[in-house]
Amino acid sequence: MDFKDMLFFDNHTHLLDPNLTSLTKKSYIMRFVHGYQDMEPWDKGVESDYTVGHASEWQVSNIENLGIVKLITHYLSERFGCEETPDAVAQARNAFIAGDPARLKEYTKSLYSEEGIIGSVLDSHDPWGDTKDKVFPCPVYRLYNFEDDYFELLPNASSFKSLMEEMEKRIRSAIKDGFKALKGHVAENYTMEVRVISDGEAEKKLAAAQKGEDRTAVEDVFFAMYRHVLLLAAELDVTVHIHAGTTGFNRKSAAYVPNLDPFLFVPFYMSDNALTKAKVVFLHQGFPYTRHAGMIAYAFPNIFVDTSWVLPWNSYAFRTNLEDLLGVCPHKKILFGTGQHGIPEIAWVAAKVAKACLGDVLESQCRMGFMSAKQAEKTARQLLFENGKELYKIK
């Protein structure tokens, strides 16, 4: 089935760099690494703007052989009519843009237009009103990183109560300003196994959490804060995006994969019926827990599954991700995103992969007599753009 002409809504992107008019082979390749570097500490600078770390030629050659790098190199070599290598593609792109931000802007616009990208949910730590989102050639809907407030306020908080009061004030203000949803990193920071911590317990452990020496206290105060945020989100009817932690093992907590199982989140979520009223998106949900996330979204009416970063990083296996989700998760609760950062080709390729894999998977279902062409088209529309628009109340 051919869905090439369908629209695409990007449920998760990062900022584009309007001045990234030139790429080297290395900066092009290392744009796609999420994980540990193999040389000196990350704060020493690097040729690549994204990795912020050192990578040996051995590591660069490894990432050059990553599926996403081969995929995007293939598509760009076709677009520019050049040799199918990262070096040739980077040079062809540089020649086309010619160091001109205006040409990069038009190039970005053409990529978005080709794939019908009609909106992007932007993950940025910038304040409301920042102009960086103007780089996108489509409407942008902002995520509010509430943990920024928490880590800023925690060291000088006089009490847990005052900490929550100030956080609530800031979140309410952000939503009033126009932020569409909230975002946090509980799995990356600690674990998906959020414990139920009362305000009284958090109050007693606040001083120890502020010192940072007692890991249990640090986690408990953080978990108590999460409960407050989810309850507030339910009241405000805004979605909370929870990073699944599977985009790379560059944090010690995320490197222990069993901590990332979304099943671990369920006891906390079920501990108070009010918590289950909060809409939660498991963000970047891919291997090895795609099915687990899909099963939770099936079981709970307000849980959703996002596939950004998985799409397009896991493109060569995305068909399997998609089948896992379509098999158990309500189709109106699956969201496509890109995890894009820096360069616009990532969203362009993600949209292509999503449409191609959807066409292949749904055609197979129709061929086996499991659904009609009409049902398949409805499912495609839901995943490609309708689900995102409905979740964020976009007309």
Side-chain angles (χ1 to χ4, degrees):
M1 306 186 80
D2 187 353
F3 301 129
K4 291 179 181 177
D5 293 331
M6 274 199 181
L7 302 175
F8 183 85
F9 183 87
D10 184 355
N11 186 63
H12 192 85
T13 184
H14 300 96
L15 288 168
L16 291 172
D17 187 342
N19 298 309
L20 197 57
T21 57
S22 179
L23 295 173
T24 64
K25 174 186 174 181
K26 183 177 181 179
S27 65
Y28 166 68
I29 291 172
M30 298 308 287
R31 182 71 44 180
F32 299 97
V33 69
H34 288 77
Y36 285 101
Q37 296 301 334
D38 60 348
M39 293 181 69
E40 290 301 311
W42 285 36
D43 60 353
K44 300 298 183 182
V46 72
E47 186 177 358
S48 166
D49 293 316
Y50 180 68
T51 57
V52 195
H54 284 245
S56 66
E57 288 307 311
W58 166 250
Q59 175 69 333
V60 174
S61 70
N62 289 334
I63 303 304
E64 182 177 356
N65 282 276
L66 197 63
I68 176 57
V69 176
K70 291 187 176 183
L71 175 74
I72 200 166
T73 299
H74 166 69
Y75 277 130
L76 288 176
S77 68
E78 288 187 333
R79 183 182 184 88
F80 293 124
C82 66
E83 187 181 354
E84 204 173 38
T85 66
D87 193 38
V89 163
Q91 290 184 34
R93 183 188 191 272
N94 293 345
F96 181 80
I97 296 173
D100 184 357
R103 283 183 65 89
L104 175 59
K105 183 177 181 179
E106 286 303 310
Y107 173 63
T108 300
K109 184 177 180 180
S110 69
L111 295 178
Y112 273 60
S113 177
E114 285 176 21
E115 291 304 321
I117 302 174
I118 59 169
S120 297
V121 178
L122 175 62
D123 181 5
S124 165
H125 296 267
D126 296 306
W128 184 258
D130 188 89
T131 59
K132 295 188 184 72
D133 59 0
K134 305 303 181 188
V135 175
F136 291 84
C138 66
V140 169
Y141 309 96
R142 294 283 306 277
L143 291 177
Y144 186 72
N145 285 273
F146 62 89
E147 289 174 5
D148 290 353
D149 292 331
Y150 174 78
F151 289 116
E152 175 194 336
L153 295 167
L154 176 65
N156 298 311
S158 60
S159 66
F160 181 74
K161 180 181 178 181
S162 65
L163 174 60
M164 291 303 97
E165 288 174 346
E166 181 60 25
M167 280 196 66
E168 178 177 335
K169 178 181 176 182
R170 292 190 182 192
I171 290 172
R172 287 184 182 278
S173 176
I175 299 305
K176 185 177 180 180
D177 283 342
F179 283 92
K180 280 289 185 181
L182 308 177
K183 190 209 175 184
H185 301 77
V186 66
E188 276 197 315
N189 286 321
Y190 305 109
T191 174
M192 272 290 193
E193 194 172 9
V194 181
R195 296 187 292 275
V196 180
I197 306 297
S198 69
D199 285 7
E201 290 177 276
E203 202 71 73
K204 292 177 182 178
K205 295 185 176 182
L206 179 65
Q210 289 172 321
K211 292 179 181 177
E213 298 172 356
D214 183 339
R215 181 175 176 83
T216 300
V218 169
E219 290 184 354
D220 284 352
V221 175
F222 187 86
F223 294 157
M225 176 272 294
Y226 248 74
R227 181 176 179 277
H228 274 263
V229 170
L230 259 66
L231 291 173
L232 179 59
E235 177 194 333
L236 299 175
D237 192 25
V238 296
T239 307
V240 180
H241 292 217
I242 297 180
H243 195 298
T246 54
T247 58
F249 304 119
N250 55 351
R251 301 192 191 189
K252 291 181 179 180
S253 55
Y256 186 61
V257 177
N259 283 346
L260 309 181
D261 188 341
F263 277 165
L264 297 173
F265 185 76
V266 173
F268 166 75
Y269 192 60
M270 291 182 65
S271 66
D272 184 339
N273 189 53
L275 289 173
T276 66
K277 306 300 182 185
K279 293 186 175 72
V280 172
V281 175
F282 289 136
L283 196 62
H284 312 313
Q285 191 63 68
F287 297 130
Y289 296 123
T290 312
R291 292 177 183 176
H292 291 193
M295 291 173 70
I296 296 172
Y298 154 71
F300 294 95
N302 291 316
I303 297 285
F304 298 77
V305 182
D306 163 84
T307 65
S308 60
W309 184 83
V310 181
L311 175 70
W313 266 256
N314 292 359
S315 290
Y316 287 175
F318 189 66
R319 192 184 191 283
T320 302
N321 288 111
L322 193 52
E323 286 180 321
D324 284 347
L325 289 174
L326 289 174
V328 68
C329 182
H331 296 180
K332 68 176 296 180
K333 299 175 76 178
I334 303 169
L335 301 159
F336 283 170
T338 68
Q340 174 176 254
H341 45 72
I343 60 174
E345 290 90 344
I346 297 175
W348 176 68
V349 165
K352 286 180 178 292
V353 171
K355 294 172 184 179
C357 288
L358 261 180
D360 191 34
V361 170
L362 295 178
E363 184 175 341
S364 176
Q365 301 301 317
C366 290
R367 187 173 61 252
M368 291 186 289
F370 291 175
M371 68 189 332
S372 67
K374 184 177 180 180
Q375 288 177 311
E377 182 176 348
K378 179 180 178 180
T379 292
R381 289 174 59 87
Q382 287 176 313
L383 271 63
L384 287 170
F385 65 95
E386 288 181 350
N387 290 346
K389 291 181 65 177
E390 180 179 359
L391 182 60
Y392 305 111
K393 306 178 183 68
I394 299 169
K395 295 181 180 180

